[in-house]
């Protein structure tokens, strides 16, 4: 089966609807036909300030949400990035073949550093995409399922892999990003022209996987729409309605055009009700299962350790090959 790698940052107490649709929903399907690794990228999370106890908690919570959403830790390899030192080690090597200008062009870095102020942004934030390239390349990854916002990082990964291969000989597989075209980007419910994000200004536009069902339904019912009444997909004129249609399509598997037909002559209230029901039906059991898993952190930690051992073995092999190719003296 083709090798697959993806990950998420443990940077909030809960994943949000965008993470669920852009990542987990795809992962769950793809794991059946792939040799998949799913990582909780804690080393990426520390590129912005984190509080130690809270980071540990968020890392467990993120892993628990993967499992609760249907990632099978027996069939797939579900692990914590910092448990496999080769990620950091390969990242250093890749840093040495990444251009300063090339890294400067990453739009996520430009956005995040602009928000923090250029002087507050860390070098880690700058070189973050290179660590992501290491994550992917260590495992001979062929496919990387991500949301839209990560595509540029996968492009960089491909460039670095090709560059390394041409300088040092064939070592890395060139990976491919996959996104579901219709649902690759979920927008904030209150601000439907900016993407749903952990760092949103207001909580009310972000639906968290671990929100209580009543809260989720309320947020969806209060989503911003427009003054028209027609349920029609039109990103320019009807950003809010289009976002709701996208969400409903992701959760029901129905095409947006079919949903438009279904809602012909019906109002926004009906649409919101359908979206709220679909989301709550999916999230409620995931929430319950996550809380259950978190009740037994020792068992969760044990699972993560077993999975990290598996990842370590794979990663060590390629790292050794890389070190050899570039001429590092082996330890006798
Ligand atoms: P992160 O933690 O920001 O997001 C995790 C995943 O969720 C997707 N996503 C969205 N999809 C649709 N709509 C949204 N509003 C939305 N918000 C987030 C992201 O595209 C991502 O797929 N750098 C990565 C983590 C990472 C990684 C990797 C991913 C590190 N190493 C290797 C793949 C392969 C990140 O910060 O994702």
């Amino acid at each position: 089966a083709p090798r697959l790698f993806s990950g998420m940052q443990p940077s909030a107490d809960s994943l949000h609807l965008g993470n669920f649709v852009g990542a987990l929903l795809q992962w769950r399907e793809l794991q059946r036909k792939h040799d998949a690794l799913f990582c909780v990228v804690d080393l990426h999370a520390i590129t912005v300030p984190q509080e130690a106890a809270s980071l540990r908690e968020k890392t467990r919570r993120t892993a628990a949400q993967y499992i609760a959403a249907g990632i099978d830790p027996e069939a797939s390899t579900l692990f914590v990035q910092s448990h496999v030192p080769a990620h950091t080690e390969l990242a250093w090597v890749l840093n040495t073949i990444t251009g300063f200008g090339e890294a400067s062009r990453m739009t996520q870095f430009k956005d995040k550093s602009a928000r923090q102020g250029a002087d507050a942004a860390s070098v880690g934030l700058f070189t973050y995409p290179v660590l992501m390239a290491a994550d992917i390349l260590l495992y001979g990854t062929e496919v990387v399922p991500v949301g839209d916002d990560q595509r540029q990082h996968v492009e960089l990964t491909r460039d670095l892999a090709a560059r390394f291969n041409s300088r040092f000989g064939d070592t890395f597989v060139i990976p491919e990003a996959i996104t579901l075209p219709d649902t690759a980007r979920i927008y904030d419910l209150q601000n439907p022209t900016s993407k749903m994000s952990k760092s949103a200004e207001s909580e009310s536009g972000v639906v968290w996987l671990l929100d209580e069902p009543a809260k989720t339904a309320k947020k969806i019912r209060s989503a911003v729409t427009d003054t028209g009444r027609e349920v029609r997909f039109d990103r320019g004129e009807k950003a809010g309605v289009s976002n709701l249609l996208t969400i409903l399509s992701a959760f029901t598997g129905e095409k947006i055009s079919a949903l438009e037909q279904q809602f012909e002559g019906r109002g926004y209230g009906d649409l919101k009700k359908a979206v709220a029901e679909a989301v709550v039906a999916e999230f409620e059991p995931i929430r319950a299962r996550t809380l259950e898993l978190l009740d037994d952190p020792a068992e969760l930690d044990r699972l993560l350790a077993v999975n990290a051992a598996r990842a370590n073995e794979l990663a060590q092999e390629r790292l050794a090959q890389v070190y050899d190719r570039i001429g590092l003296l082996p330890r006798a």
Side-chain angles (χ1 to χ4, degrees):
R3 178 63 54 79
L4 177 155
F5 185 99
S6 199
M8 292 204 235
Q9 297 192 58
S11 46
D13 284 331
S14 171
L15 299 174
H16 58 67
L17 183 70
N19 300 136
F20 182 78
V21 172
L24 279 175
L25 203 58
Q26 291 199 72
W27 295 4
R28 190 158 81 182
E29 282 312 301
L30 292 166
Q31 70 176 339
R32 301 172 199 276
K33 295 218 166 92
H34 292 80
D35 177 1
L37 296 111
F38 298 112
C39 192
V40 179
V41 294
D42 53 350
L43 297 170
H44 277 109
I46 61 167
T47 57
V48 298
Q50 302 287 343
E51 204 261 308
S54 148
L55 177 62
R56 257 188 297 274
E57 177 62 19
K58 288 169 178 167
T59 300
R60 280 205 192 96
R61 290 175 82 94
T62 303
Q65 287 171 91
Y66 286 10
I67 297 171
I71 300 305
D72 178 356
E74 310 284 337
S76 301
T77 303
L78 190 173
F79 70 105
V80 175
Q81 189 183 32
S82 63
H83 293 175
V84 181
H87 289 247
T88 328
E89 293 164 326
L90 179 60
W92 178 257
V93 173
L94 294 177
N95 268 325
T96 66
I97 65 161
T98 306
F100 192 85
E102 194 174 32
S104 308
R105 284 192 292 277
M106 294 293 117
T107 55
Q108 192 167 74
F109 170 73
K110 288 196 271 187
D111 291 349
K112 283 194 185 175
S113 57
R115 236 179 293 143
Q116 287 187 34
D119 291 334
S122 69
V123 175
L125 187 67
F126 181 65
T127 181
Y128 165 125
V130 181
L131 178 59
M132 179 162 161
D135 297 342
I136 295 167
L137 297 179
L138 261 182
Y139 298 99
T141 303
E142 289 159 79
V143 290
V144 187
V146 283
D148 225 15
D149 59 338
Q150 297 298 320
R151 288 194 80 94
Q152 195 189 26
H153 293 157
V154 180
E155 273 308 310
L156 175 72
T157 304
R158 291 164 59 86
D159 291 345
L160 294 178
R163 187 173 307 154
F164 188 98
N165 287 349
S166 82
R167 272 192 212 166
F168 300 105
D170 226 11
T171 308
F172 294 125
V173 174
I174 314 286
E176 195 115 25
I178 49 175
T179 46
L180 298 174
D182 280 348
T183 56
R185 185 168 290 233
I186 301 295
Y187 295 85
D188 188 292
L189 295 180
Q190 287 302 318
N191 191 2
T193 50
S194 51
K195 76 167 184 183
M196 189 177 286
S197 142
K198 286 163 198 160
S199 45
E201 278 158 40
S202 142
E203 277 274 306
S204 51
V206 182
V207 173
W208 301 102
L209 197 52
L210 302 182
D211 270 347
E212 286 177 21
K215 197 165 174 192
T216 299
K218 181 154 183 269
K219 282 181 181 173
I220 294 170
R221 278 199 309 272
S222 321
V224 165
T225 46
D226 54 73
T227 54
R229 26 187 345 148
E230 211 190 333
V231 175
R232 178 167 53 79
F233 189 93
D234 179 341
R235 199 64 90 198
E237 298 290 318
K238 293 171 160 292
V241 169
S242 302
N243 192 34
L244 290 170
L245 281 169
T246 303
I247 295 170
L248 191 56
S249 163
F251 280 79
T252 59
E254 303 230 35
K255 288 228 154 44
I256 287 183
S257 55
L259 293 172
E260 285 174 329
Q261 276 180 10
Q262 208 175 304
F263 283 93
E264 215 180 292
R266 295 163 70 191
Y268 294 165
D270 280 0
L271 174 64
K272 288 178 177 177
K273 189 157 171 281
V275 174
E277 277 170 12
V279 173
V280 166
E282 178 72 42
F283 281 9
E284 199 170 8
I286 297 179
R287 173 174 191 270
R289 181 81 184 109
T290 302
L291 299 179
E292 228 173 75
L293 287 162
L294 290 171
D295 262 349
D296 191 354
E299 171 58 15
L300 190 58
D301 290 357
R302 190 197 61 82
L303 255 177
L304 291 172
V306 171
N307 278 256
R310 203 148 71 208
N312 241 309
E313 236 170 81
L314 295 170
Q316 269 312 320
E317 205 174 311
R318 197 167 309 257
L319 183 71
Q321 194 185 14
V322 167
Y323 277 13
D324 177 61
R325 290 271 155 85
I326 62 177
L328 301 185
L329 181 66
R331 197 165 39 198

